[in-house]
């Protein structure tokens, strides 16, 4: 069964404490893996797209990587404004995506 | 920047009412989507449209219908609202080879 699993469900970090979020998938025919950030009461905001194993993308303190079975979102020296829920989504068809349930990140000053 | 605008941030409706959720995008995208988001269940696709007057069912279409009369506008219709349709509803649009651009969401409560 196709599935996208994110871990951990919640993560509390001190400001400056680097860590990684995981998105594992069992979807055949991956066409792309997407990361989004969602702030409370708002819609998800697009961060990255990864298309093939070994690919990496960076934006400020965030770096996304992709293997054949999982993706990591690395957060380097996070700040309180990085607190949000991070969602990953796997595209398996042109207009079809599986979303994970998200990791809620809380960065304490 | 692409903007996807949902007409209401919060709605409270009674059981049995017909409910319309409106979504407008300004980037000439062919593809538009309606999702609902519930705690622990993530985002689930209700319907999507790849062109004017074209629609396809997503994973949970029961109890919903959609309308796309103009390219920029995609409406979600709850024919007879029920309490289990209380949720956050997210509209999104997408161009080719890009991720979604989401609206801010409509939090619907059915009482």
């Amino acid at each position: 069964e196709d599935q996208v699993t994110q871990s951990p469900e919640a993560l509390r970090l001190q400001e400056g404490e680097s860590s990684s979020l995981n998105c594992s998938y069992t979807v055949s025919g991956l066409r792309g893996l997407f990361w989004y950030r969602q702030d409370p009461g708002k819609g998800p905001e697009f961060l990255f797209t990864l298309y093939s194993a070994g690919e990496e993308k960076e934006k400020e303190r965030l770096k996304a990587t992709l293997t054949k079975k999982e993706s990591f979102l690395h957060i380097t020296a996070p700040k309180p404004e990085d607190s949000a829920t991070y969602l990953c989504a796997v595209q398996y068809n042109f207009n079809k995506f599986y979303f994970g349930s998200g990791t809620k990140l809380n960065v304490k000053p | 920047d692409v903007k996807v605008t949902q007409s209401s941030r919060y709605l409270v409706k009674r059981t049995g009412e017909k409910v319309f959720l409106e979504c407008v995008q300004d980037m000439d995208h062919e593809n538009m989507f309606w999702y609902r988001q519930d705690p622990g269940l993530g985002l689930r696709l209700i319907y999507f449209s790849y062109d004017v007057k074209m629609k396809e069912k997503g994973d949970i279409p029961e109890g919903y219908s959609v309308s796309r009369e103009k390219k920029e506008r995609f409406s979600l219709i709850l024919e007879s609202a029920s309490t289990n349709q209380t949720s956050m509803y997210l509209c999104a649009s997408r161009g080719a080879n890009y991720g979604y651009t989401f609206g801010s969401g409509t939090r619907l409560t059915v009482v």
Side-chain angles (χ1 to χ4, degrees):
Chain A
E1 180 184 339
D2 291 342
Q3 196 165 286
V4 178
T5 304
Q6 290 189 246
S7 61
E9 287 187 17
L11 182 62
R12 297 182 70 175
L13 299 173
Q14 287 296 129
E15 184 172 2
E17 180 187 2
S18 300
S19 188
S20 297
L21 313 182
N22 178 262
C23 173
S24 64
Y25 59 93
T26 56
V27 177
S28 57
L30 175 78
R31 297 187 63 164
L33 187 141
F34 297 75
W35 282 98
Y36 294 86
R37 169 193 170 124
Q38 186 174 23
D39 293 300
K42 295 188 176 181
E45 176 187 349
F46 172 73
L47 292 173
F48 303 110
T49 310
L50 302 164
Y51 292 104
S52 57
E55 191 175 356
E56 299 182 352
K57 294 271 179 76
E58 285 189 67
K59 181 181 179 179
E60 296 180 355
R61 295 176 292 282
L62 299 177
K63 178 179 174 181
T65 62
L66 180 65
T67 71
K68 287 187 177 179
K69 293 189 175 182
E70 58 191 350
S71 176
F72 291 94
L73 185 66
H74 307 277
I75 303 177
T76 302
K79 298 182 178 182
E81 54 262 41
D82 295 322
S83 297
T85 295
Y86 291 85
L87 300 170
C88 76
V90 170
Q91 182 183 9
Y92 63 98
N93 203 338
F94 181 68
N95 270 327
K96 297 276 183 81
F97 294 75
Y98 288 120
F99 276 84
S101 295
T103 294
K104 187 173 182 179
L105 175 65
N106 187 5
V107 182
K108 293 288 192 182
Chain B
D1 282 351
V2 178
K3 281 198 174 163
V4 176
T5 303
Q6 294 184 231
S7 54
S8 304
R9 292 297 304 274
Y10 301 95
L11 277 179
V12 180
K13 296 292 181 181
R14 296 197 177 277
T15 302
E17 275 193 79
K18 191 168 186 176
V19 181
F20 292 86
L21 303 183
E22 306 287 345
C23 175
V24 177
Q25 53 97 359
D26 66 358
M27 275 298 287
D28 203 36
H29 284 167
E30 284 79 18
N31 306 294
M32 296 187 74
F33 307 79
W34 276 104
Y35 279 88
R36 65 177 283 177
Q37 185 175 30
D38 301 288
L41 296 176
L43 276 78
R44 293 179 291 168
L45 181 63
I46 304 171
Y47 267 98
F48 68 96
S49 168
Y50 53 88
D51 203 350
V52 175
K53 297 191 186 295
M54 305 303 288
K55 61 185 179 185
E56 280 200 31
K57 294 180 180 180
D59 300 316
I60 52 164
E62 296 78 18
Y64 303 94
S65 62
V66 290
S67 172
R68 193 159 180 209
E69 297 296 320
K70 293 184 178 181
K71 191 174 186 179
E72 67 270 19
R73 187 179 296 271
F74 192 35
S75 302
L76 179 70
I77 303 154
L78 285 66
E79 298 291 343
S80 177
S82 64
T83 54
N84 63 12
Q85 293 179 309
T86 291
S87 186
M88 168 73 99
Y89 289 88
L90 290 163
C91 175
S93 75
R94 179 172 177 264
N97 299 322
Y98 290 102
Y100 292 118
T101 299
F102 284 91
S104 295
T106 296
R107 187 165 291 282
L108 173 67
T109 302
V110 182
V111 297

